[in-house]
Amino acid sequence: MTISDENEAPRRLQEEKFKATVVCFILGLGSLVAWNSMLTVGDYYYNLFPKYHPSRVLTLIYQPFALVTMIILAHNESRINTRRRNIIGYALFTIGTFLVLVLDLATSGKGGIGPYIGLCALSACFGVADAHVQGGMVGDLSLMCPEFIQSFFAGLAASGALASVLRLLTKLGFDKSHNGLRKGTMLFFAISTLFEFVCIILYAMYFPKLSIVKYYRSKAASEGSKTVSADLAAAGIHNETNLQVAFDAKQQERLSNKQLLLRNIDFAADLFLIYVLTLSIFPGFLYPLVLIAMYNVLDLISRYIPLIKSLKLESRKALLIAVLSRFLLIPAFYFTAKYGDQGWMILLVSFLGLTNGYLTVCVFTRAPEGYKGPEQNALGNLLVLFLLLGIFAGVSLDWLWLIGKSEF
Protein backbone atom coordinates (compact mmCIF):
# COMPACT_ATOMS: atom_id res chain seq x y z
CA MET A 1 0.00 0.00 0.00
CA THR A 2 1.22 3.46 -0.81
CA ILE A 3 0.06 6.99 -0.19
CA SER A 4 -0.36 7.69 -3.86
CA ASP A 5 -0.43 5.89 -7.17
CA GLU A 6 2.87 4.49 -8.43
CA ASN A 7 5.27 7.42 -8.76
CA GLU A 8 7.13 8.13 -11.92
CA ALA A 9 10.61 7.18 -10.74
CA PRO A 10 12.07 4.38 -12.88
CA ARG A 11 11.45 0.86 -11.52
CA ARG A 12 15.12 0.26 -10.75
CA LEU A 13 15.05 3.17 -8.30
CA GLN A 14 12.26 1.62 -6.23
CA GLU A 15 14.80 -0.69 -4.59
CA GLU A 16 16.24 2.30 -2.74
CA LYS A 17 12.87 3.73 -1.81
CA PHE A 18 12.72 1.77 1.43
CA LYS A 19 16.21 2.93 2.44
CA ALA A 20 15.29 6.55 1.79
CA THR A 21 12.04 6.16 3.72
CA VAL A 22 13.92 4.80 6.75
CA VAL A 23 16.41 7.68 6.59
CA CYS A 24 13.53 10.20 6.38
CA PHE A 25 12.04 8.62 9.51
CA ILE A 26 15.33 8.93 11.40
CA LEU A 27 15.80 12.54 10.25
CA GLY A 28 12.27 13.36 11.41
CA LEU A 29 13.08 11.72 14.71
CA GLY A 30 16.20 13.83 15.05
CA SER A 31 14.47 17.09 14.22
CA LEU A 32 12.41 17.04 17.42
CA VAL A 33 14.09 14.56 19.76
CA ALA A 34 16.16 17.33 21.39
CA TRP A 35 13.14 19.49 22.14
CA ASN A 36 10.97 16.54 23.20
CA SER A 37 13.76 15.47 25.53
CA MET A 38 13.54 18.81 27.28
CA LEU A 39 9.75 18.55 27.56
CA THR A 40 9.80 14.94 28.76
CA VAL A 41 12.12 15.70 31.70
CA GLY A 42 9.51 18.18 32.95
CA ASP A 43 9.34 16.28 36.26
CA TYR A 44 13.04 16.97 36.83
CA TYR A 45 12.77 20.65 35.90
CA TYR A 46 9.69 21.15 38.07
CA ASN A 47 11.76 19.72 40.91
CA LEU A 48 14.58 22.22 40.20
CA PHE A 49 12.43 25.25 39.31
CA PRO A 50 9.07 24.74 41.07
CA LYS A 51 7.98 28.38 40.81
CA TYR A 52 8.89 29.09 37.18
CA HIS A 53 6.45 26.87 35.21
CA PRO A 54 9.33 25.39 33.13
CA SER A 55 7.21 23.40 30.64
CA ARG A 56 5.12 26.41 29.71
CA VAL A 57 7.87 29.04 29.85
CA LEU A 58 10.44 27.02 27.88
CA THR A 59 7.85 26.31 25.19
CA LEU A 60 6.79 29.96 25.08
CA ILE A 61 10.44 30.99 24.57
CA TYR A 62 11.12 28.29 21.99
CA GLN A 63 8.23 29.22 19.70
CA PRO A 64 8.94 32.92 18.91
CA PHE A 65 12.51 32.06 17.90
CA ALA A 66 11.26 29.20 15.72
CA LEU A 67 8.56 31.40 14.21
CA VAL A 68 10.70 34.46 13.41
CA THR A 69 13.47 32.29 11.95
CA MET A 70 10.94 30.40 9.86
CA ILE A 71 9.41 33.62 8.49
CA ILE A 72 12.85 34.76 7.32
CA LEU A 73 13.74 31.37 5.83
CA ALA A 74 10.35 30.90 4.12
CA HIS A 75 10.60 34.36 2.51
CA ASN A 76 14.04 33.55 1.12
CA GLU A 77 13.60 29.81 0.50
CA SER A 78 14.33 29.96 -3.24
CA ARG A 79 17.75 31.53 -2.61
CA ILE A 80 18.82 29.38 0.33
CA ASN A 81 21.20 26.43 0.13
CA THR A 82 18.94 23.69 1.55
CA ARG A 83 21.85 21.38 2.33
CA ARG A 84 23.65 24.00 4.41
CA ARG A 85 20.38 25.01 6.09
CA ASN A 86 19.59 21.49 7.26
CA ILE A 87 23.13 20.71 8.39
CA ILE A 88 23.20 23.93 10.43
CA GLY A 89 19.88 22.95 12.01
CA TYR A 90 20.98 19.46 13.03
CA ALA A 91 24.31 20.85 14.28
CA LEU A 92 22.46 23.36 16.48
CA PHE A 93 20.33 20.53 17.89
CA THR A 94 23.45 18.47 18.65
CA ILE A 95 25.34 21.32 20.32
CA GLY A 96 22.26 22.55 22.21
CA THR A 97 21.46 19.11 23.64
CA PHE A 98 25.07 18.65 24.70
CA LEU A 99 25.06 22.08 26.39
CA VAL A 100 21.92 21.16 28.38
CA LEU A 101 23.96 18.29 29.79
CA VAL A 102 26.99 20.53 30.43
CA LEU A 103 24.81 23.18 32.13
CA ASP A 104 23.46 20.68 34.62
CA LEU A 105 26.90 19.22 35.32
CA ALA A 106 28.43 22.68 35.76
CA THR A 107 25.76 23.72 38.28
CA SER A 108 25.72 20.31 40.03
CA GLY A 109 22.00 20.02 39.35
CA LYS A 110 21.08 23.03 41.46
CA GLY A 111 18.13 25.29 40.72
CA GLY A 112 18.08 29.08 40.80
CA ILE A 113 17.64 31.90 38.33
CA GLY A 114 21.08 31.54 36.67
CA PRO A 115 20.69 27.94 35.47
CA TYR A 116 17.08 28.69 34.52
CA ILE A 117 18.14 31.58 32.25
CA GLY A 118 20.74 29.29 30.66
CA LEU A 119 18.03 26.70 30.04
CA CYS A 120 15.82 29.37 28.46
CA ALA A 121 18.67 30.40 26.14
CA LEU A 122 19.11 26.79 25.00
CA SER A 123 15.37 26.56 24.43
CA ALA A 124 15.67 29.55 22.05
CA CYS A 125 18.55 27.76 20.28
CA PHE A 126 16.31 24.74 19.73
CA GLY A 127 13.66 27.03 18.24
CA VAL A 128 16.12 28.39 15.67
CA ALA A 129 17.28 24.84 14.87
CA ASP A 130 13.70 23.64 14.43
CA ALA A 131 12.94 26.33 11.84
CA HIS A 132 16.06 25.41 9.88
CA VAL A 133 15.41 21.67 9.88
CA GLN A 134 11.64 21.32 9.74
CA GLY A 135 11.08 23.89 6.99
CA GLY A 136 14.17 22.78 5.08
CA MET A 137 13.37 19.07 5.23
CA VAL A 138 9.65 19.42 4.47
CA GLY A 139 10.39 21.71 1.52
CA ASP A 140 13.01 19.29 0.21
CA LEU A 141 10.85 16.19 0.66
CA SER A 142 7.79 17.89 -0.86
CA LEU A 143 9.46 17.70 -4.27
CA MET A 144 9.99 13.95 -3.82
CA CYS A 145 7.37 11.22 -3.27
CA PRO A 146 4.64 11.55 -0.57
CA GLU A 147 5.93 8.48 1.30
CA PHE A 148 9.06 10.42 2.25
CA ILE A 149 7.02 13.25 3.78
CA GLN A 150 4.85 10.74 5.64
CA SER A 151 7.92 8.97 6.99
CA PHE A 152 9.52 12.25 8.08
CA PHE A 153 6.38 13.28 9.98
CA ALA A 154 6.13 9.81 11.50
CA GLY A 155 9.68 10.39 12.74
CA LEU A 156 8.61 13.71 14.26
CA ALA A 157 5.90 11.93 16.22
CA ALA A 158 8.23 9.06 17.11
CA SER A 159 10.61 11.54 18.72
CA GLY A 160 7.97 12.18 21.37
CA ALA A 161 7.23 8.48 21.84
CA LEU A 162 10.95 7.63 21.94
CA ALA A 163 11.62 10.41 24.43
CA SER A 164 8.81 9.13 26.66
CA VAL A 165 10.04 5.52 26.53
CA LEU A 166 13.67 6.50 27.16
CA ARG A 167 12.61 8.71 30.03
CA LEU A 168 10.60 5.91 31.64
CA LEU A 169 13.54 3.50 31.27
CA THR A 170 16.13 5.93 32.65
CA LYS A 171 13.85 6.75 35.58
CA LEU A 172 13.34 3.07 36.34
CA GLY A 173 17.06 2.36 35.97
CA PHE A 174 18.01 4.94 38.61
CA ASP A 175 14.85 4.75 40.68
CA LYS A 176 16.49 3.44 43.83
CA SER A 177 19.88 5.12 43.53
CA HIS A 178 20.91 8.34 45.26
CA ASN A 179 19.89 11.38 43.21
CA GLY A 180 18.33 8.96 40.71
CA LEU A 181 16.07 11.52 39.00
CA ARG A 182 19.07 13.63 38.00
CA LYS A 183 21.21 10.64 36.92
CA GLY A 184 18.41 9.38 34.70
CA THR A 185 18.06 12.82 33.13
CA MET A 186 21.80 13.04 32.41
CA LEU A 187 21.84 9.65 30.69
CA PHE A 188 18.75 10.66 28.76
CA PHE A 189 20.41 13.82 27.36
CA ALA A 190 23.63 11.96 26.56
CA ILE A 191 21.67 9.49 24.38
CA SER A 192 19.81 12.38 22.70
CA THR A 193 23.08 14.17 21.88
CA LEU A 194 24.52 11.04 20.25
CA PHE A 195 21.37 10.57 18.19
CA GLU A 196 21.45 14.16 16.89
CA PHE A 197 25.06 13.67 15.77
CA VAL A 198 24.04 10.54 13.84
CA CYS A 199 21.43 12.64 12.00
CA ILE A 200 24.13 15.04 10.76
CA ILE A 201 26.11 12.13 9.31
CA LEU A 202 23.04 10.54 7.70
CA TYR A 203 21.83 13.75 6.07
CA ALA A 204 25.22 15.03 4.95
CA MET A 205 26.82 11.82 3.73
CA TYR A 206 24.29 9.04 3.10
CA PHE A 207 20.92 10.50 2.04
CA PRO A 208 22.16 12.61 -0.94
CA LYS A 209 23.83 9.59 -2.54
CA LEU A 210 20.72 7.42 -2.74
CA SER A 211 19.74 7.01 -6.39
CA ILE A 212 16.06 7.77 -5.84
CA VAL A 213 16.92 10.97 -3.98
CA LYS A 214 19.29 12.02 -6.79
CA TYR A 215 16.49 11.29 -9.27
CA TYR A 216 13.97 13.57 -7.57
CA ARG A 217 16.49 16.35 -6.99
CA SER A 218 17.66 16.21 -10.61
CA LYS A 219 14.02 16.39 -11.69
CA ALA A 220 13.47 19.44 -9.45
CA ALA A 221 16.60 21.05 -10.90
CA SER A 222 15.24 20.50 -14.41
CA GLU A 223 12.11 22.40 -13.32
CA GLY A 224 14.14 25.38 -12.14
CA SER A 225 14.94 24.60 -8.50
CA LYS A 226 18.20 26.09 -7.26
CA THR A 227 17.83 24.88 -3.66
CA VAL A 228 18.95 21.34 -4.58
CA SER A 229 22.24 22.34 -6.27
CA ALA A 230 24.49 21.73 -3.26
CA ASP A 231 22.89 18.35 -2.55
CA LEU A 232 23.34 17.28 -6.16
CA ALA A 233 26.98 18.37 -6.01
CA ALA A 234 27.43 16.32 -2.81
CA ALA A 235 26.06 13.33 -4.72
CA GLY A 236 28.59 13.88 -7.52
CA ILE A 237 26.21 15.48 -10.04
CA HIS A 238 27.72 18.62 -11.56
CA ASN A 239 25.47 19.94 -14.33
CA GLU A 240 25.39 16.49 -15.88
CA THR A 241 22.08 17.19 -17.54
CA ASN A 242 23.11 20.66 -18.65
CA LEU A 243 20.14 22.19 -16.88
CA GLN A 244 21.78 25.33 -15.51
CA VAL A 245 20.95 27.34 -18.62
CA ALA A 246 17.24 26.93 -18.10
CA PHE A 247 17.21 27.84 -14.39
CA ASP A 248 16.38 31.55 -14.65
CA ALA A 249 13.62 31.08 -17.23
CA LYS A 250 12.06 28.25 -15.22
CA GLN A 251 12.21 30.28 -12.01
CA GLN A 252 10.24 33.09 -13.66
CA GLU A 253 7.52 30.61 -14.65
CA ARG A 254 6.89 29.38 -11.09
CA LEU A 255 4.08 30.76 -8.92
CA SER A 256 5.09 33.35 -6.35
CA ASN A 257 4.84 32.60 -2.62
CA LYS A 258 1.77 34.84 -2.43
CA GLN A 259 0.03 32.99 -5.27
CA LEU A 260 0.89 29.63 -3.71
CA LEU A 261 -0.48 30.73 -0.36
CA LEU A 262 -3.73 32.03 -1.84
CA ARG A 263 -4.27 28.78 -3.75
CA ASN A 264 -3.60 26.72 -0.63
CA ILE A 265 -5.03 28.93 2.11
CA ASP A 266 -7.31 26.12 3.29
CA PHE A 267 -4.33 23.80 3.85
CA ALA A 268 -2.53 26.58 5.72
CA ALA A 269 -5.64 27.16 7.86
CA ASP A 270 -5.93 23.41 8.52
CA LEU A 271 -2.42 23.23 9.95
CA PHE A 272 -2.81 26.43 11.96
CA LEU A 273 -6.04 25.18 13.57
CA ILE A 274 -4.74 21.63 14.17
CA TYR A 275 -1.82 22.93 16.21
CA VAL A 276 -3.67 25.78 17.93
CA LEU A 277 -5.93 23.18 19.48
CA THR A 278 -3.28 20.53 20.18
CA LEU A 279 -0.79 22.88 21.81
CA SER A 280 -3.43 24.68 23.86
CA ILE A 281 -3.89 21.31 25.61
CA PHE A 282 -0.57 19.48 25.20
CA PRO A 283 1.90 19.36 26.94
CA GLY A 284 1.15 21.94 29.64
CA PHE A 285 -2.26 20.52 30.52
CA LEU A 286 -1.02 16.91 30.64
CA TYR A 287 1.44 16.71 33.50
CA PRO A 288 1.43 12.93 34.22
CA LEU A 289 4.12 11.14 32.22
CA VAL A 290 1.70 8.34 31.29
CA LEU A 291 -0.68 10.80 29.57
CA ILE A 292 2.18 12.39 27.62
CA ALA A 293 3.39 8.93 26.56
CA MET A 294 -0.16 7.95 25.49
CA TYR A 295 -0.50 11.08 23.35
CA ASN A 296 2.90 10.51 21.69
CA VAL A 297 2.23 6.84 20.88
CA LEU A 298 -1.20 7.52 19.32
CA ASP A 299 0.19 10.52 17.41
CA LEU A 300 2.83 8.20 15.94
CA ILE A 301 0.44 5.36 15.03
CA SER A 302 -2.02 7.72 13.34
CA ARG A 303 0.64 9.02 10.95
CA TYR A 304 0.71 5.62 9.26
CA ILE A 305 -3.04 5.45 8.67
CA PRO A 306 -2.87 7.55 5.43
CA LEU A 307 -0.64 4.87 3.92
CA ILE A 308 -3.87 2.93 3.46
CA LYS A 309 -5.32 4.76 0.47
CA SER A 310 -8.95 4.00 1.37
CA LEU A 311 -8.44 5.59 4.81
CA LYS A 312 -6.65 8.71 3.60
CA LEU A 313 -8.72 11.91 3.67
CA GLU A 314 -8.06 13.79 0.41
CA SER A 315 -11.07 16.09 0.04
CA ARG A 316 -10.11 19.64 0.95
CA LYS A 317 -13.58 20.35 2.37
CA ALA A 318 -13.60 17.14 4.40
CA LEU A 319 -10.17 17.99 5.84
CA LEU A 320 -11.38 21.42 6.97
CA ILE A 321 -14.54 19.97 8.54
CA ALA A 322 -12.48 17.35 10.40
CA VAL A 323 -10.08 20.02 11.67
CA LEU A 324 -12.89 22.29 12.91
CA SER A 325 -14.70 19.41 14.63
CA ARG A 326 -11.65 18.83 16.87
CA PHE A 327 -12.48 22.03 18.75
CA LEU A 328 -15.21 20.05 20.55
CA LEU A 329 -12.30 18.59 22.52
CA ILE A 330 -11.87 21.86 24.45
CA PRO A 331 -15.10 21.57 26.51
CA ALA A 332 -14.56 17.81 26.67
CA PHE A 333 -11.15 18.26 28.33
CA TYR A 334 -12.46 20.98 30.64
CA PHE A 335 -15.35 18.93 32.01
CA THR A 336 -13.30 15.73 32.18
CA ALA A 337 -10.60 17.50 34.20
CA LYS A 338 -13.27 18.84 36.53
CA TYR A 339 -15.65 15.89 36.87
CA GLY A 340 -14.26 12.86 35.00
CA ASP A 341 -11.96 10.05 36.04
CA GLN A 342 -8.58 8.92 34.70
CA GLY A 343 -10.09 6.55 32.13
CA TRP A 344 -11.95 9.32 30.33
CA MET A 345 -8.85 11.53 30.36
CA ILE A 346 -6.76 8.75 28.77
CA LEU A 347 -9.44 8.32 26.09
CA LEU A 348 -9.47 12.04 25.26
CA VAL A 349 -5.68 12.26 25.18
CA SER A 350 -5.56 9.28 22.83
CA PHE A 351 -8.08 10.88 20.48
CA LEU A 352 -6.16 14.18 20.56
CA GLY A 353 -2.96 12.41 19.47
CA LEU A 354 -4.75 10.23 16.91
CA THR A 355 -6.39 13.14 15.09
CA ASN A 356 -3.31 15.38 15.31
CA GLY A 357 -0.99 12.95 13.52
CA TYR A 358 -3.52 11.72 10.97
CA LEU A 359 -4.67 15.16 9.81
CA THR A 360 -1.10 16.53 9.70
CA VAL A 361 0.06 13.81 7.30
CA CYS A 362 -3.09 14.10 5.16
CA VAL A 363 -2.50 17.84 4.64
CA PHE A 364 1.25 17.67 3.97
CA THR A 365 0.98 14.79 1.48
CA ARG A 366 -2.03 16.23 -0.35
CA ALA A 367 -0.91 19.87 -0.69
CA PRO A 368 2.15 19.51 -3.04
CA GLU A 369 0.26 17.52 -5.68
CA GLY A 370 0.25 19.10 -9.12
CA TYR A 371 3.07 21.62 -8.59
CA LYS A 372 6.61 21.85 -9.98
CA GLY A 373 9.69 21.24 -7.83
CA PRO A 374 10.42 24.89 -6.88
CA GLU A 375 6.74 25.46 -6.04
CA GLN A 376 6.57 22.29 -3.95
CA ASN A 377 9.61 23.40 -1.96
CA ALA A 378 8.12 26.87 -1.40
CA LEU A 379 4.73 25.43 -0.44
CA GLY A 380 6.34 23.04 2.04
CA ASN A 381 8.06 25.97 3.74
CA LEU A 382 4.85 28.03 3.83
CA LEU A 383 2.86 25.18 5.37
CA VAL A 384 5.51 24.67 8.07
CA LEU A 385 5.30 28.40 8.79
CA PHE A 386 1.55 28.12 9.44
CA LEU A 387 2.12 25.00 11.51
CA LEU A 388 4.54 26.99 13.70
CA LEU A 389 2.08 29.90 13.88
CA GLY A 390 -0.51 27.45 15.17
CA ILE A 391 1.90 26.03 17.73
CA PHE A 392 2.80 29.51 18.96
CA ALA A 393 -0.86 30.50 19.32
CA GLY A 394 -1.65 27.21 21.06
CA VAL A 395 1.25 27.54 23.49
CA SER A 396 0.08 31.06 24.37
CA LEU A 397 -3.51 29.89 24.94
CA ASP A 398 -2.21 27.02 27.08
CA TRP A 399 -1.72 29.52 29.90
CA LEU A 400 -5.51 29.89 30.18
CA TRP A 401 -5.62 26.52 31.97
CA LEU A 402 -3.86 28.21 34.93
CA ILE A 403 -6.50 30.90 35.42
CA GLY A 404 -8.15 30.47 38.78
CA LYS A 405 -5.41 28.21 40.12
CA SER A 406 -3.45 29.25 43.18
CA GLU A 407 -0.07 28.64 41.47
CA PHE A 408 -0.79 31.03 38.58
Side-chain angles (χ1 to χ4, degrees), residues 31 35 61-73 85-86 88-93 120-136 388:
S31 67
W35 174 240
I61 290 171
Y62 173 97
Q63 291 307 327
F65 281 90
L67 187 56
V68 172
T69 306
M70 189 62 220
I71 290 172
I72 296 168
L73 293 173
R85 171 181 175 174
N86 288 330
I88 287 172
Y90 283 116
L92 283 173
F93 275 133
C120 290
L122 291 172
S123 177
C125 172
F126 287 150
V128 173
D130 182 26
H132 276 78
V133 169
Q134 197 167 164
L388 292 178

Side-chain angles (χ1 to χ4, degrees), residues 297-354:
V297 169
L298 267 295
D299 185 38
L300 170 60
I301 292 172
S302 67
R303 296 185 185 218
Y304 284 93
I305 296 175
L307 286 172
I308 305 171
K309 191 171 178 60
S310 59
L311 296 181
K312 184 188 176 188
L313 199 58
E314 297 196 70
S315 165
R316 297 172 78 146
K317 287 183 181 178
L319 277 169
L320 189 57
I321 291 169
V323 168
L324 291 172
S325 66
R326 291 178 81 236
F327 279 83
L328 294 172
L329 286 170
I330 294 177
F333 267 101
Y334 176 78
F335 287 110
T336 302
K338 205 164 186 178
Y339 308 109
D341 58 21
Q342 189 177 18
W344 284 106
M345 183 59 75
I346 290 173
L347 180 64
L348 282 177
V349 168
S350 300
F351 188 73
L352 180 72
L354 192 72

Side-chain angles (χ1 to χ4, degrees), residues 63-381:
Q63 291 307 327
F65 281 90
L67 187 56
V68 172
T69 306
M70 189 62 220
I71 290 172
I72 296 168
L73 293 173
H75 179 70
N76 298 288
E77 57 80 26
S78 63
R79 298 186 292 274
I80 291 175
N81 181 324
T82 300
R83 177 179 173 80
R84 185 181 302 149
R85 171 181 175 174
N86 288 330
I87 290 174
I88 287 172
Y90 283 116
L92 283 173
F93 275 133
T94 305
I95 295 166
T97 311
F98 180 68
L99 288 178
V100 170
L101 186 62
V102 170
L103 177 66
D104 195 272
L105 290 171
T107 58
S108 301
K110 295 177 181 176
I113 191 65
Y116 189 66
I117 291 173
L119 204 60
C120 290
L122 291 172
S123 177
C125 172
F126 287 150
V128 173
D130 182 26
H132 276 78
V133 169
Q134 197 167 164
M137 286 300 302
V138 170
D140 197 21
L141 297 178
S142 291
L143 51 84
M144 301 185 198
C145 62
E147 287 86 350
F148 293 175
I149 306 177
Q150 180 276 326
S151 187
F152 179 78
F153 276 100
L156 287 176
S159 66
L162 177 66
S164 297
V165 170
L166 280 177
R167 182 62 182 143
L168 285 169
L169 291 175
T170 52
K171 280 187 75 173
L172 288 172
F174 294 96
D175 190 39
K176 295 180 180 178
S177 65
H178 174 66
N179 211 5
L181 186 62
R182 179 171 179 251
K183 289 177 181 176
T185 302
M186 294 301 95
L187 176 60
F188 184 57
F189 277 116
I191 295 170
S192 298
T193 302
L194 178 62
F195 188 83
E196 294 292 357
F197 181 72
V198 169
C199 286
I200 298 176
I201 304 301
L202 272 178
Y203 179 78
M205 302 178 68
Y206 182 73
F207 190 61
K209 295 179 181 178
L210 292 173
S211 298
I212 192 165
V213 174
K214 289 191 282 186
Y215 167 80
Y216 281 115
R217 283 174 171 164
S218 296
K219 181 174 176 289
S222 72
E223 294 171 340
S225 178
K226 295 182 179 180
T227 60
V228 296
S229 301
D231 284 302
L232 287 173
I237 300 175
H238 300 277
N239 297 327
E240 288 183 4
T241 50
N242 200 24
L243 299 169
Q244 189 67 37
V245 213
F247 273 170
D248 293 334
K250 296 267 185 174
Q251 277 291 105
Q252 290 173 4
E253 292 173 14
R254 60 152 280 187
L255 295 172
S256 67
N257 285 359
K258 182 179 179 181
Q259 290 172 319
L260 281 170
L261 181 57
L262 290 175
R263 292 190 182 192
N264 295 276
I265 195 66
D266 55 328
F267 289 133
D270 287 342
L271 289 168
F272 177 80
L273 295 173
I274 288 169
Y275 284 87
V276 162
L277 177 70
T278 299
L279 268 294
S280 66
I281 297 171
F282 177 88
F285 180 70
L286 310 174
Y287 289 117
L289 190 58
V290 174
L291 287 179
I292 293 177
M294 183 64 69
Y295 168 88
N296 286 327
V297 169
L298 267 295
D299 185 38
L300 170 60
I301 292 172
S302 67
R303 296 185 185 218
Y304 284 93
I305 296 175
L307 286 172
I308 305 171
K309 191 171 178 60
S310 59
L311 296 181
K312 184 188 176 188
L313 199 58
E314 297 196 70
S315 165
R316 297 172 78 146
K317 287 183 181 178
L319 277 169
L320 189 57
I321 291 169
V323 168
L324 291 172
S325 66
R326 291 178 81 236
F327 279 83
L328 294 172
L329 286 170
I330 294 177
F333 267 101
Y334 176 78
F335 287 110
T336 302
K338 205 164 186 178
Y339 308 109
D341 58 21
Q342 189 177 18
W344 284 106
M345 183 59 75
I346 290 173
L347 180 64
L348 282 177
V349 168
S350 300
F351 188 73
L352 180 72
L354 192 72
T355 53
N356 183 81
Y358 172 75
L359 291 171
T360 297
V361 170
C362 285
V363 171
F364 272 105
T365 53
R366 171 69 177 82
E369 292 178 5
Y371 292 102
K372 296 185 295 184
E375 294 165 341
Q376 290 170 326
N377 182 58
L379 182 57
N381 276 270

Side-chain angles (χ1 to χ4, degrees), residues 33-54:
V33 76
W35 174 240
N36 275 315
S37 297
M38 189 174 277
L39 289 182
T40 309
V41 296
D43 53 345
Y44 177 63
Y45 286 136
Y46 270 95
N47 187 46
L48 285 184
F49 315 108
K51 297 181 180 179
Y52 298 145
H53 299 294

Side-chain angles (χ1 to χ4, degrees), residues 6-14 17 145 211-213 215-216 219:
E6 188 68 17
N7 62 68
E8 58 182 349
R11 186 177 298 275
R12 63 185 177 80
L13 298 180
Q14 298 307 306
K17 190 173 186 178
C145 62
S211 298
I212 192 165
V213 174
Y215 167 80
Y216 281 115
K219 181 174 176 289

